[in-house]
Amino acid sequence: MAKIASAKTAAKTKSTPKGAATPISTPGPQPGKTTGPKKVHVHYLTRVEGHGNIIVDVEADGRVSTCRWEVPEAPRFFEAMLVGRDYKDVHHIVSRICGICAIGHQLASLQATEDALNINVSEQTHILRRLALHAENLQSHLLHIAYLVLPDLMGVDSILPLAATHKDAVLKFIAARRVANEFSRLICGRTTHPQRFVPGGFTMFPSTEELEALRTKLTDSLPNLDFAVDLFATLTDRFPKFERETEYVGLVSPAEYAMYWGEIGSTKDERRPVRQYRNITREYIIPTSTAKWTKNQGESYMVGALARFNLNAEHLLPRAAAAAKKLGLKKGCTNPYFITIAQLVESVHTVEESLQLVDELLTRGIRDEAPAKANIFAGRGAGAVEVPRGILFHAYEYDEQGRIFQADCVIPTNQNHANIQKDLEALVPTLTGLTEKEMELKLSMLVRAYDPCISCSTHCIDARGLDNEPQGMVRFNYK
Amino acid sequence: MAKPKIAFFDFASCEGDQLQIANLEERLLDILGHVEVVSFREVVTGHSDDYDVAFVEGSITRPEDEARLKEIRKNAKILVALGACATIGGINCLKNFQAENVYREEVYGAQARWFSTYSARPLKSVVKVDAEIHGCPIDPNEFARMTKELLQGRTPWIPDFPVCVECKQAGNVCRYEMGRMCLGIITRAGCKAACVTEGAHCWGCRGLAPGANLDAARIVMDRAGSDRKATQDLLRFFLGDTGAAL
């Protein structure tokens, strides 16, 4: 660990563009051995979506006493915005919760609306939606693996310096991600806030030729993913050794690696239908931190790629199962830093399953079908899909005009906040004696592993307090 | 000549516009060859307050956001609003039509008073904005073109005609011919009528076209059979901060 941290420090100094300030340390001594009392404050964690801070309190004897995870993202009040809106507009509004998982939000929303208004969609619609979900998960996972996490493992501060030193690898990642984006474009139209989904079905369909081209592209991207697996197999020992037992929650299905539908499964609890999601998510609000937190059986639970893997690993398709083996990822893994590894395994699985789904569509023949008709009546419904960061719930109650009476969205990152905090607490004893830089790296890598999508946390609140300091990345506050 | 320094910032938003930029892929590397990125929190560790061009995404939704935005304005030679939340307030303004205590309690219940918030607004209602890249999300091609024009010291061009012009060029059947509503008649073009082409209708995310005739638009919508509530829904979707919303 210490070795990697120092490698990062060295590379950081080299790779920082001329004229740009290195991560700022104000006030107090320059990075070195920690001698408290002081606060290590990772202000606005980088390479995550949204704003988050890590605050570490160091006592006078150099012992780390507490570690806190805070989210100062601006609140946006989506659930309130939905009230009174027509069922046809709802998924377009919630899409704007998150630019990265816009498709996942639209799909969970459509499921909830269709459940409430009793709309039955066709088999073809389900296949196309599953493909859309795969496309988004693939592009998001690759963004996280290559752009956000790989720099930490290589000891640099972004993918940009790697473009010079590891050009071949970077180009392979970019190529794989471009395929994911093209995949998404082909099924959904525009990839961010797509326009083709409507309650009951689709407004536009890919052509047979497009699907055949997609099949070729996906097949061609498998070697790039194999390359990524081989690369990460050599890097897994650079993740901190850290284990903490927790509860893993995600969709489960008897027949497949559940992403698009299923029941809510848990490693420590019984299975529940999606409509009973509130029995699992049990949201609560705390004043010192941020978004709503959740807990189920224990103090916290984890959702996301590692949770899905721990619940569904036996349903992985062969190439993904082989990748997991090569990467040393086994069912029951309790190291949160390995979320990234689980994402890589899922990326392979996603391409494999997408190829099957494309073949199925081609065999059936794609039909230009009208969306299923909606029946307008007062009703309630819930939907759940697995988005890149974990299980996402939308639940709506409609009035007799088909307008939202009440809405609830439970976002994966909100479900992970409590687990991140518990992980940080468990990391505390291992931090004493580390330099500020080492501490910063170890802690930010942990939070980054969760791929937190903080702007997604619809109920985020300000925890920053009256702090008008310029926004440096790191700040050392002496008590 | 030193490369211009650019920085990215965001307020209340989904960060989808910064994602559109990341999605330029190889072309992003080309652009990055001509600039020095000193702050792009979503992708890069490290930050500096020394920058020439600031791209700012998101709406202003809290009093304390204003101080941060003014600081960015002070540091930047050129401030560019990125995406609908920043240029017109966008979807965040939906909450402006509800009483503050209502939307707060809807989300936070009894703890509603813990968190500060006020009506969502675009950047230009707080500071001077030098250029606007419209859309929800922005069009990555338009971003690339406008950034190039900015770097050449030119004023970036944005269309001053409505979406209908590009919609005809795209060969779409007019939504009004299909008995549906559409805001293309009053919305600034530049998106190549992306949403209509994908089977939806124009939502107005690029803001009002200069000189948009709202009275005439209302008559067109009435004649097409839109009831008052449906018209209001559509006009509030993105245009809540403009005079168009009822």
Side-chain angles (χ1 to χ4, degrees):
Chain A
M1 181 59 221
K3 214 173 107 204
I4 309 149
S6 52
K8 174 183 164 137
T9 313
K12 197 180 233 173
T13 324
K14 250 184 279 165
S15 67
T16 304
K18 215 177 113 205
T22 39
I24 308 149
S25 315
T26 50
Q30 288 311 299
K33 248 346 194 200
T34 47
T35 44
K38 68 182 124 187
K39 282 183 176 174
V40 177
H41 189 145
V42 181
H43 197 58
Y44 287 177
L45 184 69
T46 51
R47 283 183 276 131
V48 300
E49 207 260 1
H51 303 93
N53 305 325
I54 305 168
I55 292 140
V56 186
D57 294 328
V58 187
E59 298 300 314
D61 58 3
R63 187 175 48 86
V64 177
S65 57
T66 53
C67 211
R68 272 195 323 285
W69 167 233
E70 295 186 345
V71 175
E73 186 77 20
R76 299 180 67 205
F77 300 99
F78 266 96
E79 288 139 325
M81 287 181 199
L82 286 174
V83 174
R85 296 296 306 204
D86 188 85
Y87 76 97
K88 290 193 288 296
D89 293 350
V90 169
H91 65 290
H92 287 296
I93 296 175
V94 296
S95 177
R96 269 74 186 193
I97 291 175
C98 176
I100 295 185
C101 23
I103 294 169
H105 276 286
Q106 291 206 5
L107 293 178
S109 173
L110 289 168
Q111 280 185 5
T113 296
E114 287 162 0
D115 185 28
L117 302 180
N118 204 7
I119 305 171
N120 291 307
V121 306
S122 70
E123 187 66 27
Q124 175 177 291
T125 297
H126 283 309
I127 298 174
L128 284 169
R129 286 181 180 175
R130 291 171 68 134
L131 281 169
L133 192 62
H134 274 315
E136 182 173 73
N137 280 340
L138 183 62
Q139 78 85 11
S140 173
H141 278 358
L142 291 173
L143 179 80
H144 182 244
I145 295 165
Y147 292 44
L148 311 185
V149 171
L150 187 62
D152 281 335
L153 301 176
M154 306 300 277
V156 289
D157 57 10
S158 82
I159 195 170
L160 304 178
L162 293 179
T165 56
H166 298 75
K167 196 166 183 192
D168 185 46
V170 169
L171 288 179
K172 281 193 162 101
F173 274 115
I174 290 180
R177 209 168 156 264
R178 193 185 46 235
V179 170
N181 276 333
E182 283 168 7
F183 177 11
S184 189
R185 220 161 1 244
L186 206 134
I187 305 292
C188 314
R190 186 170 69 189
T191 58
T192 307
H193 311 319
Q195 294 293 313
R196 289 187 186 180
F197 303 127
V198 286
F202 278 80
T203 58
M204 265 184 101
F205 303 89
S207 66
T208 305
E209 296 72 39
E210 284 175 325
L211 286 172
E212 278 164 355
L214 174 63
R215 182 165 60 186
T216 311
K217 277 186 181 147
L218 286 174
T219 311
D220 291 348
S221 80
L222 280 168
N224 284 338
L225 290 175
D226 289 343
F227 168 84
V229 169
D230 290 337
L231 175 68
F232 271 81
T234 67
L235 297 173
T236 47
D237 58 340
R238 299 198 185 180
F239 288 108
K241 309 278 174 290
F242 172 72
E243 306 287 335
R244 190 179 75 84
E245 283 270 340
T246 188
E247 181 181 354
Y248 297 94
V249 173
L251 283 180
V252 289
S253 162
E256 60 180 5
Y257 193 95
M259 298 293 288
Y260 175 69
W261 50 21
E263 287 190 309
I264 311 167
S266 157
T267 49
K268 290 191 175 168
D269 198 5
E270 62 190 34
R271 295 186 171 195
R272 288 194 170 88
V274 168
R275 278 187 171 206
Q276 291 178 19
Y277 73 99
R278 281 193 178 193
N279 291 346
I280 298 241
T281 59
R282 293 197 284 168
E283 287 184 302
Y284 61 103
I285 303 180
I286 60 168
T288 52
S289 188
T290 70
K292 288 176 179 171
W293 288 25
T294 58
K295 60 179 170 188
N296 184 31
Q297 291 300 305
E299 290 179 303
S300 68
Y301 63 82
M302 186 199 282
V303 298
L306 187 60
R308 290 191 287 258
F309 178 86
N310 279 338
L311 288 162
N312 297 311
E314 62 276 14
H315 294 306
L316 283 172
L317 292 171
R319 207 170 180 127
K325 204 167 169 202
K326 202 179 260 176
L327 289 160
L329 185 68
K330 291 191 194 75
K331 193 165 171 164
C333 169
T334 56
N335 184 349
Y337 290 95
F338 273 57
I339 295 170
T340 308
I341 298 298
Q343 287 182 331
L344 185 52
V345 171
E346 282 192 343
S347 303
V348 179
H349 175 82
T350 275
V351 174
E352 274 181 293
E353 192 173 283
S354 300
L355 281 167
Q356 290 181 355
L357 291 168
V358 169
D359 280 341
E360 199 180 330
L361 271 183
L362 286 169
T363 313
R364 295 165 51 96
I366 189 109
R367 282 192 310 272
D368 193 347
E369 53 184 25
K373 267 251 178 292
N375 310 293
I376 309 299
F377 53 82
R380 283 178 184 205
V385 295
E386 287 284 349
V387 292
R389 291 146 193 89
I391 191 165
L392 165 69
F393 301 101
H394 279 238
Y396 308 138
E397 187 174 345
Y398 281 99
D399 67 14
E400 60 283 351
Q401 266 112 45
R403 290 181 178 272
I404 294 269
F405 178 70
Q406 200 164 35
D408 187 29
C409 315
V410 184
I411 276 80
T413 295
N414 277 359
Q415 298 173 69
N416 276 332
H417 282 319
N419 210 58
I420 292 174
Q421 176 62 38
K422 295 294 160 197
D423 279 349
L424 288 175
E425 286 167 16
L427 268 178
V428 161
T430 72
L431 296 176
T432 303
L434 294 185
T435 64
E436 287 149 358
K437 287 260 177 218
E438 289 165 343
M439 240 187 259
E440 184 208 329
L441 180 68
K442 196 167 185 177
L443 295 169
S444 15
M445 276 177 77
L446 174 83
V447 175
R448 209 170 278 136
Y450 281 85
D451 195 5
C453 193
I454 300 163
S455 53
C456 250
S457 321
T458 38
H459 337 271
C460 278
I461 61 186
D462 183 32
R464 202 170 8 157
L466 297 168
D467 148 17
N468 291 320
E469 301 260 333
Q471 273 117 28
M473 305 315 306
V474 186
R475 208 177 53 195
F476 300 102
N477 284 343
Y478 285 83
K479 277 177 186 169
Chain B
M1 198 182 85
K3 289 177 180 177
K5 298 189 178 101
I6 67 169
F8 291 86
F9 300 93
D10 44 75
F11 292 87
S13 67
C14 74
E15 300 190 19
D17 299 317
Q18 291 175 69
L19 182 71
Q20 294 296 99
I21 296 166
N23 281 352
L24 282 166
E25 290 143 2
E26 288 91 338
R27 283 169 61 202
L28 180 62
L29 296 180
D30 293 340
I31 294 176
L32 293 178
H34 297 279
V35 296
E36 190 178 296
V37 178
V38 300
S39 190
F40 194 173
R41 189 186 43 72
E42 206 169 50
V43 191
V44 188
T45 298
H47 170 77
S48 162
D49 286 326
D50 174 21
Y51 43 82
D52 303 303
V53 186
F55 290 95
V56 184
E57 182 174 356
S59 309
I60 302 305
T61 58
R62 299 179 292 193
E64 60 263 44
D65 291 341
E66 291 192 11
R68 192 174 149 230
L69 180 60
K70 283 174 182 159
E71 188 69 28
I72 295 169
R73 174 71 268 185
K74 211 172 78 195
N75 292 336
K77 292 190 187 73
I78 299 171
L79 189 149
V80 185
L82 198 59
C85 290
T87 58
I88 58 171
I91 199 126
N92 291 314
C93 295
L94 270 179
K95 72 167 186 168
N96 298 357
F97 297 97
Q98 294 179 7
E100 191 179 307
N101 58 334
V102 174
Y103 66 72
R104 278 181 174 214
E105 280 174 26
E106 182 75 30
V107 176
Y108 291 113
Q111 291 97 330
R113 282 172 308 148
W114 289 359
F115 327 118
S116 72
T117 180
Y118 65 14
S119 295
R121 58 203 70 184
L123 304 184
K124 64 185 173 206
S125 67
V126 178
V127 295
K128 181 173 167 281
V129 170
D130 302 306
E132 293 180 325
I133 302 182
H134 289 283
C136 179
I138 59 162
D139 178 332
N141 297 316
E142 191 175 46
F143 169 82
R145 173 181 62 77
M146 288 179 71
T147 303
K148 209 156 78 184
E149 289 168 355
L150 274 173
L151 295 178
Q152 290 165 344
R154 292 192 279 155
T155 307
W157 176 81
I158 45 172
D160 54 3
F161 45 83
V163 171
C164 293
V165 176
E166 292 178 343
C167 199
K168 298 288 170 292
Q169 288 170 340
N172 294 318
V173 176
C174 180
R175 297 295 110 152
Y176 287 98
E177 289 295 322
M178 300 161 79
R180 291 169 60 182
M181 294 301 110
C182 183
L183 290 186
I185 49 177
I186 50 170
T187 303
R188 187 192 288 275
C191 54
K192 311 276 185 285
C195 296
V196 185
T197 307
E198 292 290 335
H201 53 265
C202 176
W203 303 86
C205 74
R206 297 177 59 90
L208 292 175
N213 188 339
L214 296 175
D215 293 336
R218 200 83 31 90
I219 293 169
V220 170
M221 292 166 97
D222 283 349
R223 218 186 281 157
S226 178
D227 64 39
R228 187 186 156 279
K229 184 75 180 142
T231 305
Q232 175 180 290
D233 275 356
L234 195 52
L235 288 170
R236 284 180 177 182
F237 201 99
F238 281 113
L239 300 174
D241 192 66
T242 70
L246 294 170

